[in-house]
């Protein structure tokens, strides 16, 4: 039984395999030919591997950028990093995390089947990380064994249905279709970025309509523009960091300016690979998912990882990254002034989440929306980890924390209820949210009858 559970968790934690199996199931339900099923399954599988491979390339390019920033400006503090905090937590909370994840995925499917929240969350690693955080907080609040697993899984299933739902009106605007949703743990931040964009108003000037002189027409190519922009950032930061640190700690002896250019090119290459993977996935998963939406969970939509929106506004991706990072720097100085724990700007969350926030802000508010929306997002993912730390128990004293806004929203919700009323109040709160989802679904059906 334990070995079977381990296999199921491994499959669920591997986005490429999970989404490929979903595509295969959808094509089987449509009674497609063996060749079509094989083609769709393999292309979806490879597409996700291309996407995650690109994300890995970007991550490898951003990691030294973060180290350069910390050394150049001599700041110490907590770095929000989901992978780091989960790796630490799994040593103690591994079993409840795995079981909560399994129950949560089942709960997500049932919620999609019987409510108006028709979203199947397919971002496996984000589901694992959220499961881990829920396991930690609910254990700290007094939950054990069966109640921990069942209620924790229910909380996960609800979060995975609600997050794509609040974003779908904006996803439809971004993608021009209602057939795909966004399943990522930065959902609340993307919503706020879109609302900020809506508040500043769209003057018709999208980030993708930047007027470029004929002599600089090569900048219309997103890969070229990203490479040049990132090269400027890396070189400037390298000059502040100093030659000795970079060549002794990061570049293994390569000249520090040359290393900066290499990292800028590596970053651009990673973004190019991500965009290629997204195009490959979208070409397969949307037609394949129709089988599931027609047969198993009527009208359901696949909720996919945040890079799924990058091809729709490549300029907003870079603008969102920088604006979010600036928001993180401003937040850091505010924390220094207030003498709180200092949350350092994590380059990785500011890129992946900030870039996505930029796309959402651009969709509703054009260039101003992309800049201001992602700036506000940068402040959010700085202060929410700070508010989350006290509810993580001993794990809150680690040198890392969960970064994305949905971790903050779910964690603060559970932690606040736990501090006020313990197990009983958390149980009541989770069941009340579930009841509200069914009530909203009932009135939605009534209004459409």
């Amino acid at each position: 039984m334990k070995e079977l559970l381990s296999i199921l968790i491994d499959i669920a934690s591997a986005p490429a395999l999970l989404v490929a199996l979903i595509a295969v199931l959808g094509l089987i339900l449509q009674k497609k030919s063996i060749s079509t099923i094989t083609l769709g399954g393999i292309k979806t599988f490879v597409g996700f591997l291309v996407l995650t491979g690109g994300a890995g390339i970007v991550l490898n390019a951003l990691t030294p950028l973060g180290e350069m920033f910390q050394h150049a400006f001599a700041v110490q503090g907590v770095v929000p990093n989901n992978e780091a905090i989960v790796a630490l937590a799994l040593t103690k909370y591994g079993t409840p995390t795995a079981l909560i994840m399994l129950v949560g995925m089942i709960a997500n499917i049932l919620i999609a089947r019987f409510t108006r929240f028709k979203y199947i969350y397919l971002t496996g690693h984000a589901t694992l990380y959220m499961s881990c955080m829920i396991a930690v907080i609910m254990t700290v609040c007094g939950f054990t064994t069966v109640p921990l697993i069942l209620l924790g899984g229910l909380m996960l299933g609800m979060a995975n249905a609600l997050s794509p739902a609040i974003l779908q009106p904006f996803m439809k605007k971004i993608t021009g279709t209602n057939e795909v949703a966004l399943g990522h743990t930065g959902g609340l931040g993307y919503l706020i970025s879109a609302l900020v964009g809506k508040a500043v108003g769209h003057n018709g000037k999208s980030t993708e309509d930047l007027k470029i002189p004929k002599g600089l027409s090569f900048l219309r190519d997103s890969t070229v523009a990203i490479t040049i922009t990132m090269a400027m950032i890396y070189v400037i930061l390298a000059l502040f960091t100093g030659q000795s640190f970079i060549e002794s700690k990061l570049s293994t002896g390569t000249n520090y300016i040359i290393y900066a250019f290499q990292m800028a090119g590596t970053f651009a290459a990673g973004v190019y690979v991500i965009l290629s993977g997204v195009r490959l996935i979208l070409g397969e998963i949307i037609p394949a998912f129709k089988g599931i939406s027609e047969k198993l969970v009527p009208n359901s939509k696949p909720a996919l990882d945040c890079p799924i929106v990058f091809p729709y506004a490549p300029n907003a991706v870079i603008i969102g990254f920088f604006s979010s990072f600036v928001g993180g720097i401003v937040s850091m100085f505010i924390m220094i002034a207030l003498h709180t724990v200092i949350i350092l700007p994590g380059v990785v969350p500011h890129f992946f989440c900030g870039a996505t926030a930029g796309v959402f802000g651009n969709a509703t508010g054009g260039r101003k929306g992309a800049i201001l929306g992602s700036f506000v997002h940068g402040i959010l993912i700085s202060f929410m980890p700070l508010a989350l730390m006290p509810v993580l128990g001993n794990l809150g004293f680690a040198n890392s924390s969960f970064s994305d806004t949905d971790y903050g929203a779910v964690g603060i919700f559970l932690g606040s209820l736990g501090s006020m009323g313990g197990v009983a109040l958390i149980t009541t709160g989770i069941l009340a949210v579930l009841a509200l989802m069914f009530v909203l679904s009932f009135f939605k059906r009534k209004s459409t009858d």
Side-chain angles (χ1 to χ4, degrees):
M1 178 63 185
K2 194 171 183 179
E3 187 175 342
L4 177 61
L5 175 63
S6 177
I7 292 171
L8 291 173
I9 295 302
D10 285 344
I11 292 173
S13 303
L17 187 55
L18 175 64
V19 177
L21 290 174
I22 293 292
V24 167
L25 176 60
L27 292 168
I28 290 173
L29 290 171
Q30 293 179 71
K31 299 180 180 179
K32 298 291 185 180
S33 66
I34 295 295
S35 62
T36 302
I37 293 169
T38 303
L39 182 69
I42 291 176
K43 288 183 73 173
T44 304
F45 180 62
V46 172
F48 248 92
L49 289 177
V50 171
L51 189 156
T52 52
I57 294 171
V58 168
L59 181 61
N60 289 336
L62 289 176
T63 300
L65 190 69
E67 294 181 34
M68 290 160 65
F69 176 83
Q70 290 184 52
H71 180 81
F73 300 104
V75 287
Q76 298 294 324
V78 173
V79 181
N81 185 287
N82 301 324
E83 288 76 13
I85 193 76
V86 168
L88 184 63
L90 286 178
T91 58
K92 184 177 180 181
Y93 301 96
T95 299
T97 294
L99 292 170
I100 286 172
M101 182 176 179
L102 183 62
V103 172
M105 294 182 73
I106 295 170
N108 178 201
I109 293 170
L110 292 174
I111 288 169
R113 177 66 179 83
F114 296 107
T115 74
R116 62 179 283 193
F117 301 94
K118 305 284 185 186
Y119 304 94
I120 308 295
Y121 201 95
L122 297 178
T123 310
H125 65 282
T127 301
L128 174 66
Y129 299 164
M130 183 67 82
S131 305
C132 183
M133 188 197 70
I134 290 172
V136 171
I137 294 174
M138 292 184 68
T139 300
V140 169
C141 291
F143 282 87
T144 57
T145 60
V146 175
L148 171 64
I149 294 162
L150 292 182
L151 285 168
L154 182 57
M155 183 71 237
L156 175 65
M158 292 189 303
N160 283 357
L162 286 169
S163 182
I166 63 173
L167 297 175
Q168 194 57 22
F170 305 108
M171 274 296 287
K172 187 176 179 181
K173 190 176 182 67
I174 290 167
T175 64
T177 177
N178 200 31
E179 295 181 329
V180 66
L182 184 66
H184 190 252
T185 43
L188 177 62
Y190 310 148
L191 172 67
I192 290 174
S193 181
L195 293 176
V196 169
K198 199 170 183 179
V200 300
H202 200 306
N203 58 6
K205 294 181 179 179
S206 167
T207 57
E208 309 313 300
D209 298 329
L210 293 171
K211 291 183 179 179
I212 298 172
K214 284 186 177 180
L216 299 175
S217 60
F218 58 87
L219 291 175
R220 295 183 185 276
D221 186 296
S222 62
T223 302
V224 174
I226 290 170
T227 304
I228 293 174
T229 304
M230 292 304 294
M232 293 170 60
I233 298 299
Y234 274 97
V235 169
I236 292 170
L237 194 53
L239 292 172
F240 275 101
T241 304
Q243 183 174 2
S244 59
F245 177 82
I246 293 175
E247 293 182 8
S248 62
K249 301 291 185 181
L250 300 176
S251 72
T252 62
T254 300
N255 177 273
Y256 73 124
I257 298 298
I258 292 175
Y259 177 75
F261 280 111
Q262 286 178 330
M263 288 298 98
T266 300
F267 178 91
V271 173
Y272 181 86
V273 173
I274 287 173
L275 299 181
S276 300
V278 167
R279 294 186 187 101
L280 189 57
I281 294 164
L282 287 177
E284 299 300 326
I285 191 65
I286 291 176
F289 202 82
K290 286 182 180 177
I292 292 173
S293 65
E294 290 171 0
K295 304 288 184 179
L296 296 183
V297 185
N299 302 315
S300 62
K301 299 172 181 64
L304 304 172
D305 204 353
C306 63
I308 211 75
V309 302
F310 289 3
Y312 296 97
N315 292 339
V317 167
I318 300 303
I319 290 171
F321 168 38
F322 290 137
S323 297
S324 180
F325 193 73
V326 170
I329 293 173
V330 170
S331 301
M332 180 185 72
F333 284 116
I334 293 173
M335 291 173 196
I336 292 171
L338 295 175
H339 303 289
T340 68
V341 173
I342 299 170
I343 303 294
L344 299 179
V347 180
V348 174
H350 280 293
F351 172 69
F352 285 102
C353 298
T356 309
V359 175
F360 275 79
N362 178 64
T364 56
R367 297 171 200 172
K368 290 191 295 182
I371 294 168
L372 294 176
S374 49
F375 176 79
V376 171
H377 170 274
I379 293 174
L380 273 177
I381 65 169
S382 300
F383 280 95
M384 289 190 86
L386 184 65
L388 183 60
M389 289 175 69
V391 304
L392 292 174
N394 291 333
L395 202 63
F397 298 101
N399 290 325
S400 188
S401 183
F402 292 95
S403 58
D404 310 349
T405 53
D406 288 4
Y407 297 118
V410 172
I412 293 168
F413 171 75
L414 293 175
S416 299
L417 292 178
S419 64
M420 291 187 291
V423 170
L425 193 54
I426 289 179
T427 302
T428 303
I430 291 173
L431 295 178
V433 173
L434 181 63
L436 180 60
M437 292 174 73
F438 274 96
V439 169
L440 290 173
S441 301
F442 175 78
F443 282 111
K444 175 71 173 179
R445 288 196 192 98
K446 281 286 187 183
S447 65
T448 54
D449 284 346

